[in-house]
Amino acid sequence: MRIDIVTIFPAIFDALDVSLLGKARRNGIIDLRVKDLRDYTHDRHRTVDDTPYGGGAGMVMRPEPWGEALDDVLGDGDPLVVFPSPAGEVFSQRMARELSAERHIVFGCGRYEGIDQRVLDDTADRARVRLVSLGDYVVNGGEVAAMAMIEAIARLVPGVVGNPLSLVEESHEGGLLEYPSYTKPPVWRGREVPAVLLSGNHAAIARWRRERQLELTRRVRPDLLAGE
Ligand code: JQB
């Protein structure tokens, strides 16, 4: 999978060099390229923003550098362009699954009060465009949202996570929260590991874990049980 990111803060994405995703990049499974939007400006101050037409607080990202950056990264292979936005459809495990089947995703990370609307309209004339929100709260730009989405998507690409079974067992894929996990020692600060996990009775362990999942989900996230 190829992933391009357009941003005025490329250093934020240095964190994607580490861990499983870093390994997947070195192995060539994920081809991730970070582009500095300011490299597509032509003035001495590398300006990317300006005051909003119609007035109001804050600044808006000018369309010209965005046009040139997207011209550079879109290519001719039917990419999906994702603009992280508080006004987008809410990201989910289902969407991560869907996007993990894409060949090429471009993330356009806005800042300030957002990007001139004509950039989104122009891009939609040339590519598939989705506005996606990380959740119902406000952050200062698209970068942190793109990072979370990239990690959720890339780990579902075959070969990125070593043991594919660990993807099946975890939260949200099964529609339930995860059961609690324990490791050695068997007693720590007077707290014992539940005896059933040391019993060797695999049917009883599976039953106990399923009960913990259901009980936890009913208590913390009853909306997940209401059925999607
Ligand atoms: C600028 C962003 C998010 C991208 C996601 C999420 O645009 C704005 N509007 C109101 C307040 C603040 C901003 C700042 N901003 C580009 C941009 C915010 C994404 C964003 C997001 N995805 N919250 N905020 N879940």
Side-chain angles (χ1 to χ4, degrees):
M1 174 185 280
R2 177 171 161 192
I3 299 173
D4 287 277
I5 300 162
V6 181
T7 172
I8 59 168
F9 294 122
I12 291 179
F13 296 94
D14 288 354
L16 298 180
D17 280 340
V18 303
S19 190
L20 287 176
L21 194 46
K23 193 172 170 192
R25 291 175 71 182
R26 290 187 292 276
N27 290 342
I29 302 171
I30 303 289
D31 175 9
L32 188 145
R33 307 176 196 185
V34 183
K35 300 281 190 181
D36 187 340
L37 183 69
R38 290 192 199 278
D39 290 346
Y40 299 92
T41 60
H42 300 288
D43 64 311
R44 280 204 316 124
H45 301 289
R46 314 226 297 162
T47 310
V48 294
D49 63 324
D50 213 324
T51 54
Y53 277 122
M59 302 293 268
V60 174
M61 296 190 107
R62 290 178 60 105
E64 306 96 317
W66 275 107
E68 291 196 25
L70 291 166
D71 287 346
D72 191 22
V73 300
L74 285 186
D76 47 17
D78 189 31
L80 174 69
V81 184
V82 173
F83 290 103
S85 165
E89 24 168 0
V90 177
F91 191 66
S92 64
Q93 187 64 23
R94 172 182 304 229
M95 198 188 297
R97 254 293 153 221
E98 197 180 314
L99 300 195
S100 71
E102 292 284 342
R103 297 265 318 270
H104 182 196
I105 305 178
V106 175
F107 285 89
C109 299
R111 278 271 154 177
Y112 314 108
E113 302 305 305
I115 306 169
D116 187 303
Q117 179 63 35
R118 292 169 293 181
V119 172
L120 313 185
D121 299 342
D122 184 59
T123 309
D125 283 346
R126 299 185 283 150
R128 292 173 296 132
V129 169
R130 290 176 83 163
L131 270 60
V132 183
S133 168
L134 192 59
D136 291 337
Y137 42 84
V138 178
V139 295
N140 280 336
E143 286 80 6
V144 164
M147 286 252 276
M149 294 176 200
I150 288 165
E151 187 157 287
I153 294 163
R155 65 196 294 285
L156 299 176
V157 172
V160 174
V161 169
N163 178 2
L165 264 184
S166 64
L167 294 177
V168 180
E169 279 198 13
E170 70 202 20
S171 276
H172 294 295
E173 286 282 334
L176 295 175
L177 301 185
E178 272 172 80
Y179 52 78
S181 298
Y182 299 85
T183 184
K184 289 170 276 297
V187 185
W188 178 73
R189 295 189 175 179
R191 297 172 186 275
E192 294 180 1
V193 173
V196 64
L197 298 179
L198 310 174
S199 69
N201 182 340
H202 296 293
I205 291 170
R207 214 178 314 118
W208 182 87
R209 284 177 167 169
R210 179 58 46 157
E211 283 164 10
R212 295 288 74 70
Q213 284 190 287
L214 285 166
E215 194 263 335
L216 186 63
T217 307
R218 181 157 33 78
R219 182 159 50 84
V220 180
R221 292 294 306 278
D223 56 301
L224 294 179
L225 293 172
E228 296 133 87

